[in-house]
C-alpha cells in the first residue's frame, strides 16, 4: 500500500490560511493568553459562573451569592446554560475554571475562522487577507481581555457569522427557510447578549428595503418565538431589588424606568454625551497605549477611527 504524499508547500500554506487553520491558530493563542486569573475579574464573569452553578446544581436560575438567592432576570441565559453543561462534566470548582476558559478559547477560534470565511465569501478578500482579518479580529487587546475570562463575547461572535450569512442569503435569494434559520439564530444571539436584539432589527430592515416581505415576517416571527420565553420570564421577575444591588442585579427596565420618568431626555442626552467623550480614550487605549502626548491628539485619533 503506497504512502500518501506529503502536502506541498503551497498546499500547506493554503491549509494554514483557510478558516480552519485560522481557527486552530487563534484557539491555541487565546488558550495560551488566558493565564491563571481568578473568576470575577470583571464582575460579570463571576456572575455568569454563579448562574451556571445554580443551573448545574438544580437550584434554578438564581443569584446564589445573594441572601435568599433571588431569581435572575437581567443576564440572558444562553452563556450560563453552556457553562452549566460544562460544570456537569467537570463539577469540581475551581479546577473546572480551566475547562471553561478552554471553551472560550475554542469559541474564539470558531469566531475567527468564521470571520475569515465571511470576508472571503462576502468581501472577496484573498486568502492571506482574509486570514489576517480573522486573526486580527480575535487578537486585539480589547477582544483578548474578554476572551481570556468567562465573558460571553466569544460565544456571541461565534454565532454572529452564521447569522449574518443566513440573513444575507435570505435578503439576496428570498427563501423563507433561510429567513427562519436566520431569525432563530438572531434569537439565540439575543439570549447570549442583550445587544443581540440589534441583529434581527437590522436584518428585518434590509429585508423590507429589498421588498422581501414574507422572509422579513418569517425572520421576525422566528426571533420572537425564540425570545418569548425569556421575555415572559423577565416580565414575571422584574420586581425592583434592594437599591444597593439594583443596578448590578435588577432588570434593565426596573433600573431605567424611574430614571427615565424623572429625568427623561436629560438622562438620554447625558448618556450620549458621556459615550462620545469616552471614545477618544477607547481609541487611545487601542491604538496609542504609550503616554506620548502627540499620539493622543484628537486629530490623530479621529484619523485612526476613520480608518
Amino acid at each position: 500500500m503506497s504512502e500518501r504524499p506529503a502536502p506541498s508547500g503551497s498546499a500547506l500554506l493554503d491549509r494554514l490560511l483557510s478558516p480552519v487553520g485560522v481557527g486552530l491558530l487563534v484557539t491555541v493563542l487565546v488558550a495560551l493568553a488566558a493565564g491563571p486569573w481568578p473568576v470575577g475579574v470583571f464582575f460579570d464573569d463571576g456572575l455568569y459562573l454563579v448562574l451556571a452553578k445554580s443551573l448545574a446544581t438544580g437550584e434554578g436560575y438564581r443569584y446564589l451569592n445573594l441572601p435568599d438567592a433571588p431569581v435572575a432576570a437581567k443576564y440572558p441565559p444562553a452563556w450560563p446554560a453552556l457553562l452549566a453543561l460544562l460544570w456537569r462534566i467537570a463539577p469540581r470548582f475551581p479546577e473546572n475554571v480551566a475547562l471553561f476558559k478552554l471553551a472560550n478559547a475554542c469559541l474564539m477560534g470558531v469566531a475567527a475562522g468564521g470571520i475569515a470565511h465571511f470576508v472571503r465569501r462576502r468581501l472577496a478578500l484573498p486568502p492571506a487577507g482574509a486570514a489576517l482579518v480573522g486573526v486580527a479580529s480575535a487578537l486585539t487587546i480589547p477582544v483578548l481581555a474578554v476572551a481570556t475570562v468567562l465573558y460571553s463575547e466569544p460565544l456571541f461572535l461565534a454565532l454572529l457569522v452564521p447569522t449574518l450569512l443566513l440573513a444575507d442569503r435570505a435578503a439576496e435569494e428570498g427563501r423563507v427557510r433561510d429567513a427562519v434559520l436566520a431569525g432563530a439564530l438572531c434569537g439565540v444571539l439575543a439570549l447570549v447578549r442583550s445587544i443581540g436584539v440589534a441583529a434581527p432589527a437590522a436584518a428585518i430592515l434590509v429585508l423590507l428595503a429589498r421588498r422581501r416581505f414574507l422572509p422579513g415576517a418569517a425572520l421576525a416571527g422566528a426571533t420572537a418565538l425564540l425570545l418569548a420565553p425569556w421575555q415572559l420570564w423577565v416580565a414575571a421577575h422584574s420586581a425592583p431589588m434592594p437599591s444597593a444591588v439594583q443596578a448590578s442585579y435588577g432588570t434593565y427596565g426596573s433600573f431605567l424606568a424611574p430614571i427615565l420618568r424623572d429625568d427623561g431626555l436629560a438622562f438620554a442626552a447625558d448618556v450620549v454625551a458621556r459615550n462620545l467623550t469616552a471614545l477618544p480614550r477607547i481609541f487611545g487605549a487601542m491604538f496609542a497605549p504609550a503616554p506620548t502626548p502627540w499620539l493622543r491628539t484628537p486629530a490623530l485619533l479621529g484619523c485612526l477611527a476613520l480608518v
Side-chain angles (χ1 to χ4, degrees):
M1 185 175 180
S2 61
E3 295 183 358
R4 180 179 296 179
S8 63
S10 60
L12 181 60
L13 181 62
D14 289 341
R15 292 181 184 179
L16 292 175
L17 296 178
S18 69
V20 173
V22 169
L24 291 175
L25 174 63
V26 167
T27 297
V28 171
L29 293 178
V30 173
L32 291 174
W37 299 298
V39 177
V41 174
F42 292 108
F43 180 76
D44 284 4
D45 55 319
L47 285 184
Y48 284 133
L49 200 57
V50 167
L51 295 172
K53 179 182 179 181
S54 181
L55 290 172
T57 56
E59 301 288 339
Y61 201 54
R62 294 178 175 275
Y63 297 121
L64 300 182
N65 57 317
L66 294 181
D68 298 327
V71 173
K74 177 179 181 179
Y75 294 88
W79 175 233
L82 178 57
L83 288 176
L85 291 176
L86 297 176
W87 192 293
R88 298 296 296 269
I89 296 171
R92 294 188 60 183
F93 178 84
E95 290 86 348
N96 52 13
V97 173
L99 176 63
F100 302 150
K101 290 186 177 183
L102 179 60
N104 247 1
C106 293
L107 288 169
M108 203 64 242
V110 172
I115 290 170
H117 172 72
F118 182 85
V119 296
R120 284 179 68 171
R121 180 171 178 176
R122 301 298 302 169
L123 305 181
L125 285 186
L132 179 61
V133 171
V135 172
S137 68
L139 299 184
T140 57
I141 291 175
V143 177
L144 273 179
V146 295
T148 52
V149 295
L150 300 185
Y151 260 23
S152 58
E153 275 82 354
L155 176 59
F156 184 89
L157 290 173
L159 293 169
L160 180 61
V161 173
T163 304
L164 293 175
L165 288 172
L166 281 168
D168 279 345
R169 187 188 302 172
E172 290 180 352
E173 301 179 11
R175 288 204 296 259
V176 172
R177 181 186 64 182
D178 293 332
V180 170
L181 292 175
L185 281 175
C186 285
V188 175
L189 277 178
L191 291 175
V192 175
R193 293 194 62 81
S194 299
I195 194 65
V197 297
I204 291 169
L205 285 175
V206 170
L207 289 168
L208 294 179
R210 298 190 182 185
R211 305 184 69 81
R212 305 288 193 185
F213 301 119
L214 183 58
L219 190 148
T223 302
L225 188 64
L226 262 291
L227 289 181
W230 172 244
Q231 294 304 315
L232 291 173
W233 174 269
V234 171
H237 301 93
S238 60
M241 302 185 72
S243 58
V245 296
Q246 175 65 33
S248 298
Y249 295 92
T251 63
Y252 293 113
S254 61
F255 172 66
L256 289 174
I259 300 176
L260 292 173
R261 183 181 62 247
D262 297 337
D263 298 328
L265 292 177
F267 169 74
D270 186 51
V271 169
V272 172
R274 287 175 181 268
N275 278 279
L276 290 176
T277 55
L279 283 177
R281 293 198 301 272
I282 295 173
F283 283 108
M286 293 173 63
F287 298 110
T292 307
W294 67 269
L295 284 175
R296 296 186 179 274
T297 60
L300 177 62
L301 294 175
C303 291
L304 289 172
L306 180 61
V307 170

